[in-house]
Amino acid sequence: MTITQLIYTIAVAEYKNFTLAAEKSFVTQPTLSMQIQKLEEELGVIIFDRTTKPIQLTEVGAIIVKQAQKIVEESNRIKDIVDQQKGYIGGEFRLGIIPTITPTLLPMFLKTFIKKHPKVNLIIEEYNTDEIIQRLRNGQIDAAIAATPLDEADIKEAVLYYEPFVGYFPDKFRQGLSKEINVSDVDINNLLLLHDGHCFRNSIINLCKPSASENDLPFKLESGSFETLIKIANEGLGITLLPYLHTLDLKSEYLVNLVQFKDPKPAREVSLIYRKSELKIQIIEALKESIQSVIRGAIAFSDIQIISPKLKRHS
């Protein structure tokens, strides 16, 4: 049994396809298949049910893969210890980011980070929060940027910044409102939201109607992007809430539609999250430093109220 065999096995479990797993592992498909077959022969069990499409783990295979992930992680720890002792910041690093943060934060820090740490091969992958948590646990990503607190016992959270919510109210819906609004001014019947699966959606639900269940909210539209919500709102079909950083790139003619909340402003907490094993912690710390160095000049709010990204369930 070798570490390489375990790595190939984990890859097939992830991609559910031998050819794709081989491609992602940078080996030929026959080589990968042969190594996994050797492992199965050595253990005397079948790890994958090859008769199904996509390929599925057998019952014992699922247990083996779970243990293999632990073994591979511990083997990676040895190199990580050496890198830390040498002060080396480099190598492959997989970073997950939730979709509502990627378009605004990534352009702010990516160039700075790459320039300062050219030896880091940063691989950026976009997932929703649930996928990020699962991939962190499986060792498929090294860290992630997400809205917190998540309250996951096996995951650490290093706060990067706090980002207030801003109302987007076209003229039709601003009538009678003051320059700053209360949460009660957000009419749930006119609210346009991101579709299910976005933690920003969950935060808005928690903010605007905490006593309601998710199913009885009368939303007229759900979209996958803020851009779509803004365009629909501009047609006079509703209002929406945006993260503060997203408002910095709005066209000048749309700025009049922005309405700030009164203090304490509702906000989301954005953190760099990673496993408690702290693998590649030197790169995690470098990322944190780079992000915080550029974000300080963009967000300067202090009187805020953190809104949880975890959807509250009510009976």
Side-chain angles (χ1 to χ4, degrees), residues 13-67:
E14 177 181 356
Y15 297 108
K16 296 179 171 57
N17 180 286
F18 278 84
T19 301
L20 183 56
E23 179 184 325
K24 296 294 184 180
S25 301
F26 304 103
V27 295
T28 64
Q29 190 268 331
T31 297
L32 180 139
S33 296
M34 180 183 66
Q35 289 300 321
I36 292 178
Q37 186 176 352
K38 283 184 177 180
L39 178 61
E40 289 179 321
E41 290 173 354
E42 179 181 344
L43 297 175
V45 298
I46 299 298
I47 298 174
F48 296 102
D49 182 353
R50 294 163 173 80
T51 64
T52 62
K53 289 188 177 181
I55 292 170
Q56 299 294 324
L57 286 163
T58 61
E59 185 175 349
V60 69
I63 298 172
I64 290 171
V65 167
K66 190 173 182 179
Q67 186 62 36

Side-chain angles (χ1 to χ4, degrees), residues 48-108:
F48 296 102
D49 182 353
R50 294 163 173 80
T51 64
T52 62
K53 289 188 177 181
I55 292 170
Q56 299 294 324
L57 286 163
T58 61
E59 185 175 349
V60 69
I63 298 172
I64 290 171
V65 167
K66 190 173 182 179
Q67 186 62 36
Q69 289 169 338
K70 295 179 182 178
I71 294 171
V72 171
E73 180 172 318
E74 289 302 317
S75 70
N76 289 337
R77 191 189 302 276
I78 296 174
K79 183 178 184 302
D80 196 54
I81 289 171
V82 174
D83 286 345
Q84 289 184 46
Q85 288 296 314
K86 292 180 178 179
Y88 176 72
I89 300 179
E92 183 178 283
F93 191 87
R94 293 185 177 272
L95 178 69
I97 308 182
I98 60 174
T100 59
I101 290 177
T102 308
T104 52
L105 180 63
L106 191 59
M108 295 177 70

Side-chain angles (χ1 to χ4, degrees), residues 158-217:
V159 177
L160 297 171
Y161 59 92
Y162 301 101
E163 183 175 23
F165 302 162
V166 180
Y168 190 84
F169 287 57
D171 184 65
K172 173 182 175 181
F173 300 97
R174 289 201 311 277
Q175 303 304 318
L177 292 181
S178 58
K179 290 184 178 180
E180 293 186 320
I181 61 173
N182 295 305
V183 173
S184 59
D185 293 319
V186 180
D187 187 347
I188 199 76
N189 294 293
N190 295 323
L191 189 60
L192 308 174
L193 285 182
L194 296 174
H195 62 63
D196 195 13
H198 287 274
C199 63
F200 191 80
R201 165 198 169 95
N202 295 349
S203 295
I204 299 307
I205 292 174
N206 291 337
L207 171 68
C208 296
K209 202 172 181 182
S211 61
S213 65
E214 184 179 3
N215 294 328
D216 65 11
L217 293 169

